[in-house]
Amino acid sequence: MPHLDLKYSSDIEIDAIAFFEEVEATLQAHDDDTGPCKCRAYPTEIYRYSQCVVEIRMFAKRERNAQFTADLVAAIEALLVKHLSQDCSISVMLTFSPPAYITRKFHVSEKSA
């Protein structure tokens, strides 16, 4: 399950929910084994220069090679630009989680007494 963090200056207007939906569809179009994407938005009131940063983390797989990475970053950048209506700096970063990383659903019922 990929993770997406959208960090941006509060002067930027962006429909984060619509962006998240399009990113998830794009991830699945590039790799149909991707599944849902956990997304969070972090607008900040404290900044210097308007900027928008997209960080995506996924598990590494043999098929997720340099070409996959380049194509996906370009697709995410195009989506981001489509959702922006003002000048700002943008960054898109795709990283792959190390083998020692876990992600799973936690249920309170798992706690022992």
Side-chain angles (χ1 to χ4, degrees):
M1 178 178 290
H3 297 246
L4 181 153
D5 290 338
L6 174 63
K7 303 172 184 178
Y8 57 98
S9 314
S10 59
D11 66 325
I12 294 174
E13 293 182 22
I14 186 168
D15 183 344
I17 300 301
F19 178 69
F20 293 161
E21 290 170 356
E22 290 187 36
V23 168
E24 184 175 83
T26 300
L27 292 172
Q28 292 170 352
H30 280 77
D31 182 347
D32 59 1
D33 190 37
T34 299
C37 182
K38 292 191 260 184
C39 304
R40 295 170 290 216
Y42 300 98
T44 184
E45 295 289 329
I46 303 169
Y47 62 91
R48 184 172 182 188
Y49 309 114
S50 297
Q51 58 184 312
C52 189
V53 178
V54 176
E55 297 175 354
I56 300 174
R57 292 170 306 286
M58 310 176 74
F59 281 116
K61 291 174 35 178
R62 181 172 294 137
E63 301 80 22
R64 294 177 180 166
N65 57 23
Q67 188 63 57
F68 171 89
T69 301
D71 292 346
L72 186 53
V73 167
I76 301 301
E77 178 188 11
L79 284 178
L80 179 59
V81 167
K82 182 179 111 174
H83 283 270
L84 295 172
S85 58
Q86 65 207 75
D87 294 345
C88 64
S89 296
I90 62 170
S91 301
V92 177
M93 180 172 61
L94 173 63
T95 59
F96 297 100
S97 303
Y101 177 80
I102 65 158
T103 183
R104 67 180 186 86
K105 189 81 167 174
F106 167 74
H107 300 279
V108 175
S109 61
E110 295 177 42
K111 285 186 166 184
S112 57

PDB file of all heavy atoms in Angstrom, residues 49-68:
ATOM      1  N   TYR A  49       8.711  31.281   0.563  1.00  0.00           N
ATOM      2  CA  TYR A  49       8.483  30.988  -0.846  1.00  0.00           C
ATOM      3  C   TYR A  49       7.389  29.922  -0.989  1.00  0.00           C
ATOM      4  O   TYR A  49       7.375  28.933  -0.270  1.00  0.00           O
ATOM      5  CB  TYR A  49       9.748  30.533  -1.576  1.00  0.00           C
ATOM      6  CG  TYR A  49      10.932  31.457  -1.376  1.00  0.00           C
ATOM      7  CD1 TYR A  49      12.048  31.018  -0.679  1.00  0.00           C
ATOM      8  CD2 TYR A  49      10.906  32.758  -1.844  1.00  0.00           C
ATOM      9  CE1 TYR A  49      13.136  31.860  -0.466  1.00  0.00           C
ATOM     10  CE2 TYR A  49      11.983  33.603  -1.640  1.00  0.00           C
ATOM     11  CZ  TYR A  49      13.097  33.151  -0.946  1.00  0.00           C
ATOM     12  OH  TYR A  49      14.156  33.986  -0.736  1.00  0.00           O
ATOM     13  N   SER A  50       6.518  30.135  -1.920  1.00  0.00           N
ATOM     14  CA  SER A  50       5.417  29.203  -2.181  1.00  0.00           C
ATOM     15  C   SER A  50       5.972  27.919  -2.773  1.00  0.00           C
ATOM     16  O   SER A  50       6.769  27.955  -3.721  1.00  0.00           O
ATOM     17  CB  SER A  50       4.419  29.823  -3.162  1.00  0.00           C
ATOM     18  OG  SER A  50       3.837  30.976  -2.603  1.00  0.00           O
ATOM     19  N   GLN A  51       5.551  26.799  -2.208  1.00  0.00           N
ATOM     20  CA  GLN A  51       6.047  25.517  -2.698  1.00  0.00           C
ATOM     21  C   GLN A  51       5.042  24.408  -2.454  1.00  0.00           C
ATOM     22  O   GLN A  51       4.202  24.498  -1.556  1.00  0.00           O
ATOM     23  CB  GLN A  51       7.375  25.165  -2.049  1.00  0.00           C
ATOM     24  CG  GLN A  51       7.320  25.105  -0.539  1.00  0.00           C
ATOM     25  CD  GLN A  51       8.677  24.858   0.078  1.00  0.00           C
ATOM     26  OE1 GLN A  51       9.385  23.961  -0.350  1.00  0.00           O
ATOM     27  NE2 GLN A  51       9.024  25.636   1.076  1.00  0.00           N
ATOM     28  N   CYS A  52       5.144  23.363  -3.259  1.00  0.00           N
ATOM     29  CA  CYS A  52       4.280  22.197  -3.140  1.00  0.00           C
ATOM     30  C   CYS A  52       5.157  20.964  -3.349  1.00  0.00           C
ATOM     31  O   CYS A  52       5.848  20.849  -4.365  1.00  0.00           O
ATOM     32  CB  CYS A  52       3.174  22.271  -4.192  1.00  0.00           C
ATOM     33  SG  CYS A  52       1.897  21.036  -3.972  1.00  0.00           S
ATOM     34  N   VAL A  53       5.127  20.060  -2.376  1.00  0.00           N
ATOM     35  CA  VAL A  53       5.987  18.874  -2.391  1.00  0.00           C
ATOM     36  C   VAL A  53       5.118  17.629  -2.316  1.00  0.00           C
ATOM     37  O   VAL A  53       4.256  17.523  -1.439  1.00  0.00           O
ATOM     38  CB  VAL A  53       6.977  18.893  -1.195  1.00  0.00           C
ATOM     39  CG1 VAL A  53       7.836  17.645  -1.180  1.00  0.00           C
ATOM     40  CG2 VAL A  53       7.822  20.161  -1.209  1.00  0.00           C
ATOM     41  N   VAL A  54       5.352  16.698  -3.212  1.00  0.00           N
ATOM     42  CA  VAL A  54       4.667  15.407  -3.206  1.00  0.00           C
ATOM     43  C   VAL A  54       5.710  14.338  -2.927  1.00  0.00           C
ATOM     44  O   VAL A  54       6.720  14.241  -3.635  1.00  0.00           O
ATOM     45  CB  VAL A  54       3.983  15.117  -4.563  1.00  0.00           C
ATOM     46  CG1 VAL A  54       3.356  13.725  -4.564  1.00  0.00           C
ATOM     47  CG2 VAL A  54       2.952  16.179  -4.879  1.00  0.00           C
ATOM     48  N   GLU A  55       5.460  13.555  -1.874  1.00  0.00           N
ATOM     49  CA  GLU A  55       6.352  12.447  -1.536  1.00  0.00           C
ATOM     50  C   GLU A  55       5.536  11.155  -1.551  1.00  0.00           C
ATOM     51  O   GLU A  55       4.534  11.054  -0.850  1.00  0.00           O
ATOM     52  CB  GLU A  55       6.972  12.649  -0.159  1.00  0.00           C
ATOM     53  CG  GLU A  55       7.849  13.881  -0.064  1.00  0.00           C
ATOM     54  CD  GLU A  55       8.359  14.152   1.343  1.00  0.00           C
ATOM     55  OE1 GLU A  55       7.944  13.436   2.289  1.00  0.00           O
ATOM     56  OE2 GLU A  55       9.171  15.070   1.507  1.00  0.00           O
ATOM     57  N   ILE A  56       5.968  10.202  -2.345  1.00  0.00           N
ATOM     58  CA  ILE A  56       5.289   8.912  -2.440  1.00  0.00           C
ATOM     59  C   ILE A  56       6.271   7.816  -2.066  1.00  0.00           C
ATOM     60  O   ILE A  56       7.422   7.817  -2.534  1.00  0.00           O
ATOM     61  CB  ILE A  56       4.754   8.663  -3.865  1.00  0.00           C
ATOM     62  CG1 ILE A  56       3.750   9.753  -4.244  1.00  0.00           C
ATOM     63  CG2 ILE A  56       4.126   7.270  -3.973  1.00  0.00           C
ATOM     64  CD1 ILE A  56       3.277   9.698  -5.666  1.00  0.00           C
ATOM     65  N   ARG A  57       5.816   6.907  -1.205  1.00  0.00           N
ATOM     66  CA  ARG A  57       6.623   5.758  -0.811  1.00  0.00           C
ATOM     67  C   ARG A  57       5.889   4.480  -1.199  1.00  0.00           C
ATOM     68  O   ARG A  57       4.684   4.358  -0.963  1.00  0.00           O
ATOM     69  CB  ARG A  57       6.884   5.772   0.698  1.00  0.00           C
ATOM     70  CG  ARG A  57       7.802   6.916   1.112  1.00  0.00           C
ATOM     71  CD  ARG A  57       7.891   7.106   2.612  1.00  0.00           C
ATOM     72  NE  ARG A  57       6.616   7.270   3.303  1.00  0.00           N
ATOM     73  CZ  ARG A  57       5.852   8.369   3.268  1.00  0.00           C
ATOM     74  NH1 ARG A  57       6.220   9.393   2.530  1.00  0.00           N
ATOM     75  NH2 ARG A  57       4.737   8.440   3.952  1.00  0.00           N
ATOM     76  N   MET A  58       6.622   3.549  -1.787  1.00  0.00           N
ATOM     77  CA  MET A  58       6.058   2.268  -2.210  1.00  0.00           C
ATOM     78  C   MET A  58       7.057   1.163  -1.860  1.00  0.00           C
ATOM     79  O   MET A  58       8.240   1.435  -1.667  1.00  0.00           O
ATOM     80  CB  MET A  58       5.851   2.218  -3.732  1.00  0.00           C
ATOM     81  CG  MET A  58       5.122   3.369  -4.341  1.00  0.00           C
ATOM     82  SD  MET A  58       5.059   3.251  -6.153  1.00  0.00           S
ATOM     83  CE  MET A  58       3.862   1.955  -6.357  1.00  0.00           C
ATOM     84  N   PHE A  59       6.569  -0.063  -1.841  1.00  0.00           N
ATOM     85  CA  PHE A  59       7.475  -1.192  -1.689  1.00  0.00           C
ATOM     86  C   PHE A  59       8.253  -1.394  -2.985  1.00  0.00           C
ATOM     87  O   PHE A  59       7.730  -1.180  -4.082  1.00  0.00           O
ATOM     88  CB  PHE A  59       6.712  -2.476  -1.347  1.00  0.00           C
ATOM     89  CG  PHE A  59       6.325  -2.565   0.094  1.00  0.00           C
ATOM     90  CD1 PHE A  59       4.994  -2.584   0.454  1.00  0.00           C
ATOM     91  CD2 PHE A  59       7.275  -2.624   1.095  1.00  0.00           C
ATOM     92  CE1 PHE A  59       4.609  -2.662   1.783  1.00  0.00           C
ATOM     93  CE2 PHE A  59       6.916  -2.708   2.423  1.00  0.00           C
ATOM     94  CZ  PHE A  59       5.583  -2.728   2.769  1.00  0.00           C
ATOM     95  N   ALA A  60       9.490  -1.818  -2.854  1.00  0.00           N
ATOM     96  CA  ALA A  60      10.314  -2.122  -4.019  1.00  0.00           C
ATOM     97  C   ALA A  60       9.880  -3.463  -4.607  1.00  0.00           C
ATOM     98  O   ALA A  60       9.544  -4.384  -3.876  1.00  0.00           O
ATOM     99  CB  ALA A  60      11.784  -2.176  -3.616  1.00  0.00           C
ATOM    100  N   LYS A  61       9.843  -3.518  -5.920  1.00  0.00           N
ATOM    101  CA  LYS A  61       9.560  -4.754  -6.649  1.00  0.00           C
ATOM    102  C   LYS A  61      10.448  -4.759  -7.883  1.00  0.00           C
ATOM    103  O   LYS A  61      10.846  -3.693  -8.367  1.00  0.00           O
ATOM    104  CB  LYS A  61       8.088  -4.813  -7.095  1.00  0.00           C
ATOM    105  CG  LYS A  61       7.095  -4.983  -5.986  1.00  0.00           C
ATOM    106  CD  LYS A  61       5.639  -4.903  -6.417  1.00  0.00           C
ATOM    107  CE  LYS A  61       5.282  -5.443  -7.751  1.00  0.00           C
ATOM    108  NZ  LYS A  61       3.838  -5.359  -8.044  1.00  0.00           N
ATOM    109  N   ARG A  62      10.734  -5.913  -8.386  1.00  0.00           N
ATOM    110  CA  ARG A  62      11.602  -6.022  -9.567  1.00  0.00           C
ATOM    111  C   ARG A  62      11.081  -5.173 -10.729  1.00  0.00           C
ATOM    112  O   ARG A  62      11.845  -4.532 -11.446  1.00  0.00           O
ATOM    113  CB  ARG A  62      11.708  -7.489  -9.986  1.00  0.00           C
ATOM    114  CG  ARG A  62      12.607  -7.687 -11.202  1.00  0.00           C
ATOM    115  CD  ARG A  62      12.867  -9.142 -11.487  1.00  0.00           C
ATOM    116  NE  ARG A  62      13.635  -9.669 -10.367  1.00  0.00           N
ATOM    117  CZ  ARG A  62      13.397 -10.852  -9.795  1.00  0.00           C
ATOM    118  NH1 ARG A  62      12.445 -11.619 -10.231  1.00  0.00           N
ATOM    119  NH2 ARG A  62      14.140 -11.264  -8.792  1.00  0.00           N
ATOM    120  N   GLU A  63       9.756  -5.143 -10.889  1.00  0.00           N
ATOM    121  CA  GLU A  63       9.161  -4.409 -12.007  1.00  0.00           C
ATOM    122  C   GLU A  63       9.238  -2.893 -11.817  1.00  0.00           C
ATOM    123  O   GLU A  63       9.051  -2.135 -12.764  1.00  0.00           O
ATOM    124  CB  GLU A  63       7.684  -4.798 -12.177  1.00  0.00           C
ATOM    125  CG  GLU A  63       7.453  -6.264 -12.434  1.00  0.00           C
ATOM    126  CD  GLU A  63       7.500  -7.124 -11.157  1.00  0.00           C
ATOM    127  OE1 GLU A  63       7.306  -6.591 -10.051  1.00  0.00           O
ATOM    128  OE2 GLU A  63       7.739  -8.333 -11.280  1.00  0.00           O
ATOM    129  N   ARG A  64       9.467  -2.456 -10.603  1.00  0.00           N
ATOM    130  CA  ARG A  64       9.544  -1.025 -10.322  1.00  0.00           C
ATOM    131  C   ARG A  64      10.989  -0.553 -10.510  1.00  0.00           C
ATOM    132  O   ARG A  64      11.689  -0.214  -9.564  1.00  0.00           O
ATOM    133  CB  ARG A  64       9.017  -0.730  -8.912  1.00  0.00           C
ATOM    134  CG  ARG A  64       7.529  -1.035  -8.806  1.00  0.00           C
ATOM    135  CD  ARG A  64       6.987  -0.828  -7.419  1.00  0.00           C
ATOM    136  NE  ARG A  64       5.544  -1.138  -7.409  1.00  0.00           N
ATOM    137  CZ  ARG A  64       4.826  -1.309  -6.323  1.00  0.00           C
ATOM    138  NH1 ARG A  64       5.385  -1.196  -5.132  1.00  0.00           N
ATOM    139  NH2 ARG A  64       3.547  -1.583  -6.407  1.00  0.00           N
ATOM    140  N   ASN A  65      11.403  -0.541 -11.751  1.00  0.00           N
ATOM    141  CA  ASN A  65      12.778  -0.228 -12.118  1.00  0.00           C
ATOM    142  C   ASN A  65      12.926   1.260 -12.449  1.00  0.00           C
ATOM    143  O   ASN A  65      12.015   2.059 -12.203  1.00  0.00           O
ATOM    144  CB  ASN A  65      13.205  -1.119 -13.287  1.00  0.00           C
ATOM    145  CG  ASN A  65      12.265  -0.964 -14.475  1.00  0.00           C
ATOM    146  OD1 ASN A  65      11.583   0.049 -14.633  1.00  0.00           O
ATOM    147  ND2 ASN A  65      12.219  -1.981 -15.332  1.00  0.00           N
ATOM    148  N   ALA A  66      14.059   1.618 -13.028  1.00  0.00           N
ATOM    149  CA  ALA A  66      14.335   3.025 -13.343  1.00  0.00           C
ATOM    150  C   ALA A  66      13.308   3.595 -14.315  1.00  0.00           C
ATOM    151  O   ALA A  66      12.873   4.746 -14.157  1.00  0.00           O
ATOM    152  CB  ALA A  66      15.748   3.166 -13.904  1.00  0.00           C
ATOM    153  N   GLN A  67      12.912   2.822 -15.316  1.00  0.00           N
ATOM    154  CA  GLN A  67      11.932   3.322 -16.284  1.00  0.00           C
ATOM    155  C   GLN A  67      10.569   3.517 -15.627  1.00  0.00           C
ATOM    156  O   GLN A  67       9.896   4.516 -15.856  1.00  0.00           O
ATOM    157  CB  GLN A  67      11.811   2.371 -17.488  1.00  0.00           C
ATOM    158  CG  GLN A  67      10.960   2.935 -18.600  1.00  0.00           C
ATOM    159  CD  GLN A  67      11.562   4.208 -19.185  1.00  0.00           C
ATOM    160  OE1 GLN A  67      12.691   4.204 -19.651  1.00  0.00           O
ATOM    161  NE2 GLN A  67      10.812   5.299 -19.159  1.00  0.00           N
ATOM    162  N   PHE A  68      10.158   2.570 -14.813  1.00  0.00           N
ATOM    163  CA  PHE A  68       8.904   2.674 -14.055  1.00  0.00           C
ATOM    164  C   PHE A  68       8.924   3.946 -13.203  1.00  0.00           C
ATOM    165  O   PHE A  68       7.964   4.721 -13.204  1.00  0.00           O
ATOM    166  CB  PHE A  68       8.733   1.440 -13.154  1.00  0.00           C
ATOM    167  CG  PHE A  68       7.590   1.548 -12.179  1.00  0.00           C
ATOM    168  CD1 PHE A  68       6.316   1.135 -12.538  1.00  0.00           C
ATOM    169  CD2 PHE A  68       7.785   2.054 -10.898  1.00  0.00           C
ATOM    170  CE1 PHE A  68       5.255   1.224 -11.635  1.00  0.00           C
ATOM    171  CE2 PHE A  68       6.731   2.153  -9.991  1.00  0.00           C
ATOM    172  CZ  PHE A  68       5.466   1.743 -10.366  1.00  0.00           C
TER     173      PHE A  68
END
